Amino acid sequence: LHLSIRRQRQMCIRDRYNLALEFDDFRYTPKRGGAYFVKRNNKWGVLNLLDQSMVLETKYDSLSIFAYEAKNKAFYKTYSPDHKIGLIDPKGKVLIPTSFEDVGLTYNLTTTKFLFWVKVDNYYSPYVDGKINSKVKYETLVYPYRRTKDILLVKNNNGYGAYSSILQKEIMPCVNDTIYEVYGNSYVFKRDQKFGLFAKNGEILLKNEYASFKDLDHYFIRITDAKGKIGIYSLKDQKIVLNIIYDDLEWIFGMSVSYMIRKGQYSGIFNLASGQFVVPLEYDEIMARGADFFDNKVTTRVKKNGKWGWIDIHTGETILPCIYDDVKSFNRRETTDVRLKYRWISIDKKGNEVK
């Protein structure tokens, strides 16, 4: 006789963990390290196969994992036969009774403050101390990554807003095309095709009057205004560190905090860490790709008054003067080819011709 797939699975689990076959069904719980949903007498619970202890007794009509807390503990959604939903904590304590269209939860691991939500008549509202705050209603809750952030994104009438689980109030109305988090507990919002920035307490850091934002580093974003001018904003210091007056900005390959900046016909190098130009705006062109190494110095090719040379990216020091009509990268070699008028020659890293 052929065993059913379910029966085979049960026997496999029983043999592996030396477990008596006392359950009607098993269902694996994702990312739970040995825990299984188990069914007995038409009721569901949670079994830890590693020590064969019951995490939750088999008394629920249906269960699903909803969110993860610290130390691999989980919150569970509970379901009734008439499709109502509730929420219990890792020990089975009822947080929200099984009587709503849907439930929600956000929490912060640092403050350990929780905010519960329930869905009634197609709208989500906060559920605090067993009471529904019907003055706050949203069509959709957009959970942050891991649900461990203070801010919950919300949606009404196709517009996005933000609700603070710590302040327990709306900090951004649902009038935005999109909202997303950037580093430093700041959030970008887009409204009427323009971008702005707000903090997690709702403070507007930058008004929505910019054409685009782009992440540069953990705590910096590139800002472009309506005229196409470019600057840099520090999320950590909450201020503009490079005025929005430049024409181009390009990351220098291999240098995490160095950027080639161009204004008009001249280019320089800006260092994010210091917030200063380490190379002034005096070069016709700076190669942002293909750094060369000279005795532990990181250099790049630059063009000035129509001639090419090499400078130190970190200090701006001239390594080889701008006297060449064309140059090639050393590309980790000790020599390279350069052109003087119509003649190509090979030089070493001191500028000496190599025969």
Side-chain angles (χ1 to χ4, degrees):
L1 295 178
H2 293 285
L3 295 174
S4 68
I5 294 177
R6 178 178 297 177
R7 180 75 171 175
Q8 291 180 48
R9 184 171 69 242
Q10 290 176 341
M11 293 185 66
C12 180
I13 294 171
R14 181 198 62 186
D15 294 341
R16 179 177 178 183
Y17 293 95
N18 193 27
L19 182 70
L21 190 60
E22 56 177 319
F23 299 106
D24 302 324
D25 196 7
F26 291 84
R27 194 170 75 226
Y28 180 63
T29 60
K31 300 180 181 179
R32 292 292 294 128
Y36 271 74
F37 288 120
V38 291
K39 188 177 184 181
R40 180 168 50 194
N41 298 326
N42 211 33
K43 296 292 183 178
W44 287 91
V46 177
L47 171 71
N48 186 339
L49 290 179
L50 299 181
D51 59 11
Q52 299 188 21
S53 63
M54 292 299 300
V55 180
L56 295 175
E57 295 296 330
T58 50
K59 61 180 182 178
Y60 302 96
D61 293 302
S62 187
L63 288 170
S64 69
I65 286 183
F66 177 61
Y68 290 94
E69 198 187 359
K71 298 182 180 179
N72 205 27
K73 296 181 180 180
F75 289 89
Y76 299 91
K77 279 186 177 182
T78 58
Y79 301 85
S80 68
D82 59 349
H83 308 293
K84 297 299 183 180
I85 301 173
L87 189 70
I88 59 177
D89 73 3
K91 296 182 179 180
K93 178 183 177 181
V94 175
L95 303 174
I96 302 174
T98 312
S99 54
F100 297 97
E101 298 167 23
D102 195 11
V103 296
L105 164 69
T106 54
Y107 57 92
N108 185 280
L109 291 177
T110 303
T111 62
T112 65
K113 289 186 178 181
F114 295 77
L115 179 64
F116 302 105
W117 295 78
V118 293
K119 188 177 184 181
V120 179
D121 297 330
N122 297 319
Y123 284 94
Y124 290 91
S125 296
Y127 186 79
V128 182
D129 297 329
K131 297 180 180 180
I132 302 173
N133 182 2
S134 58
K135 294 181 180 180
V136 178
K137 292 184 177 182
Y138 298 110
E139 297 171 355
T140 307
L141 306 180
V142 185
Y143 292 107
Y145 179 63
R146 291 184 179 175
R147 300 180 182 143
T148 58
K149 298 295 183 180
D150 297 337
I151 304 304
L152 176 69
L153 301 187
V154 292
K155 190 176 182 181
N156 270 340
N157 299 319
N158 293 320
Y160 288 93
Y163 190 94
S164 171
S165 60
I166 302 301
L167 303 175
Q168 294 194 12
K169 69 176 185 178
E170 184 178 87
I171 59 172
M172 176 64 68
C174 295
V175 294
N176 304 287
D177 302 323
T178 187
I179 295 176
Y180 62 89
E181 184 184 8
V182 289
Y183 292 100
N185 291 315
S186 301
Y187 293 79
V188 173
F189 66 100
K190 182 182 180 183
R191 186 188 308 165
D192 300 325
Q193 303 302 313
K194 300 294 183 182
F195 289 86
L197 190 72
F198 69 94
K200 69 175 184 178
N201 62 0
E203 178 188 358
I204 300 297
L205 302 176
L206 293 173
K207 295 180 179 179
N208 64 308
E209 57 186 19
Y210 299 96
S212 69
F213 287 169
K214 183 180 180 182
D215 291 347
L216 293 181
D217 189 75
H218 289 320
Y219 291 105
F220 297 92
I221 56 175
R222 164 181 168 162
I223 302 174
T224 305
D225 68 11
K227 297 180 180 179
K229 297 299 182 180
I230 296 169
I232 297 176
Y233 182 88
S234 169
L235 296 168
K236 184 177 182 180
D237 299 324
Q238 294 188 350
K239 67 178 183 179
I240 293 174
V241 294
L242 182 68
N243 291 329
I244 311 171
I245 58 175
Y246 299 94
D247 299 309
D248 195 13
L249 178 154
E250 186 177 358
W251 176 60
I252 295 180
F253 183 77
M255 300 294 106
S256 61
V257 295
S258 295
Y259 285 81
M260 185 279 297
I261 306 293
R262 181 175 61 82
K263 183 180 181 183
Q265 60 181 345
Y266 295 110
S267 298
I269 296 177
F270 184 81
N271 185 278
L272 290 181
S274 66
Q276 302 290 329
F277 275 94
V278 293
V279 177
L281 294 166
E282 61 182 28
Y283 292 98
D284 305 333
E285 189 175 344
I286 295 176
M287 298 295 293
R289 295 289 183 265
D292 289 316
F293 297 88
F294 286 66
D295 298 327
N296 297 323
K297 293 182 179 179
V298 184
T299 74
T300 189
R301 290 161 286 166
V302 294
K303 187 178 183 181
K304 188 174 184 179
N305 298 325
K307 302 290 186 178
W308 288 91
W310 278 262
I311 63 169
D312 187 318
I313 289 175
H314 296 300
T315 64
E317 174 192 358
T318 298
I319 303 300
L320 290 177
C322 294
I323 60 174
Y324 305 103
D325 295 291
D326 199 359
V327 294
K328 295 181 180 180
S329 172
F330 278 88
N331 196 23
R332 299 186 180 277
R333 298 172 301 182
E334 293 302 312
T335 64
T336 190
D337 295 330
V338 298
R339 181 169 62 84
L340 291 170
K341 293 186 177 180
Y342 302 105
R343 179 171 170 258
W344 283 92
I345 62 173
S346 293
I347 61 170
D348 60 22
K349 291 182 176 180
K350 295 182 179 181
N352 299 320
E353 183 175 356
V354 178
K355 299 295 186 177

